[in-house]
């Protein structure tokens, strides 16, 4: 791409764009690495699905490489330490749930919540991305829908046994996602992504997933409110 690509009023090579991109790009890189690790961990919890989960883990590793290329293309050094911090709370909740063999909680974190977060972010990034990153993100977001599907199918098949665990996990996780959203907002805005649009897409994807798993509309509303309190 040309060094001076400017579209929709965004100067991809300005200092302020590249400063914000160093954090958002790092969130995508570290997020994809976390997603890889989480699917490998889930493969141990769900031996029956080891092949499929290993396959999903490999796709996440490929996503990480794709986003590393997006950073190189803009000559940005990703702020990986910032991103590790950004994911730390979610990381530790996942680790503890895995140690306690709470498979449904682990699936809710990775295959539902983080995937909805990824879809909300990527879908809103595509229209404002530079040419190189846009093409990459269009491919990545299609994969994320299939990752979401894996969690939906498993949790739906085991709904009666995991329902209460999911409600408790939702209560623990949503406030963290909300904090993450607020933390990313200023940098997302510099990239041309509005917080309102992120929230709308997240809630749309998340409620759709909860409905698919088996929750009633009333339960979904209750669970959303619990995320706020
Ligand atoms: O399953 C996945 O691939 C998820 C880990 C990835 C989430 C990455 C989140 C990126 C958020 C970027 C913020 C843009 C506003
Ligand atoms: O009403 C609700 O369910 C809100 C608590 C939940 C937070 C929504 C967080 C949206 C995060 C989107 C992040 C996309 C990068
Ligand atoms: Fe991914
Ligand atoms: Fe760790
Ligand atoms: Fe994914």
């Amino acid at each position: 791409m040309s060094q001076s690509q400017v579209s929709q009023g965004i100067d991809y090579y300005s200092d302020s764009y590249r400063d914000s991109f160093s954090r958002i790009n790092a969130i995508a890189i570290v997020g994809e690495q976390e997603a890889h690790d989480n699917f490998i961990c889930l493969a141990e919890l769900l031996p029956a699905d080891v092949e499929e989960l290993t396959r999903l883990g490999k796709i996440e590793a490929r996503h990480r490489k794709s986003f590393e290329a997006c950073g190189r293309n803009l000559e940005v050094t990703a702020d990986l330490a910032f991103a590790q911090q950004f994911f730390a709370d979610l990381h530790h909740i996942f680790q503890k749930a895995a140690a306690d063999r709470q498979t449904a909680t682990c699936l809710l974190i990775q295959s539902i919540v983080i995937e909805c977060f990824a879809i909300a972010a990527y879908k809103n990034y595509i229209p404002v991305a530079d040419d190189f990153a846009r093409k990459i993100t269009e491919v990545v977001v299609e994969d994320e829908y299939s990752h979401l599907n894996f969690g939906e199918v498993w949790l739906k098949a085991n709904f009666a046994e995991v329902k209460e665990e999911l409600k408790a996990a939702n209560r623990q996780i949503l406030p963290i996602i909300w904090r993450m959203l607020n933390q990313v907002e200023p940098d997302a805005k510099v990239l041309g992504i509005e917080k309102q649009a992120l929230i709308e897409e997240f809630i749309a994807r998340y409620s759709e997933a909860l409905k698919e798993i088996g929750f009633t509309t009333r339960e979904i509303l209750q669970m959303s409110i619990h995320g706020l309190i």
Side-chain angles (χ1 to χ4, degrees), residues 39 42 46 49 52-53 55-56 60 94 103-116 119 143-159 162 166 205-206 208-215:
F39 278 119
L42 278 161
L46 293 168
D49 292 305
E52 176 66 357
L53 287 162
R55 192 181 71 81
L56 298 184
E60 302 295 20
F94 185 96
T103 306
T105 299
C106 290
L107 276 173
L108 186 75
I109 293 173
Q110 174 56 47
S111 195
I112 307 293
V113 174
I114 298 186
E115 298 296 353
C116 287
I119 291 168
D143 292 334
E144 307 302 3
Y145 285 107
S146 75
H147 301 172
L148 181 56
N149 186 257
F150 179 89
E152 287 174 348
V153 169
W154 196 93
L155 293 168
K156 183 179 186 168
N158 298 275
F159 185 61
V162 301
L166 290 179
R205 293 285 76 79
Y206 190 52
E208 214 173 79
L210 293 176
K211 180 131 203 97
E212 179 60 30
I213 290 166
F215 288 104

Side-chain angles (χ1 to χ4, degrees), residues 188-203:
K189 195 165 173 70
V190 172
L191 268 55
I193 302 168
E194 293 297 331
K195 176 182 180 177
Q196 179 71 23
L198 289 172
I199 297 175
E200 279 176 20
E201 187 67 28
F202 177 85
I203 294 178

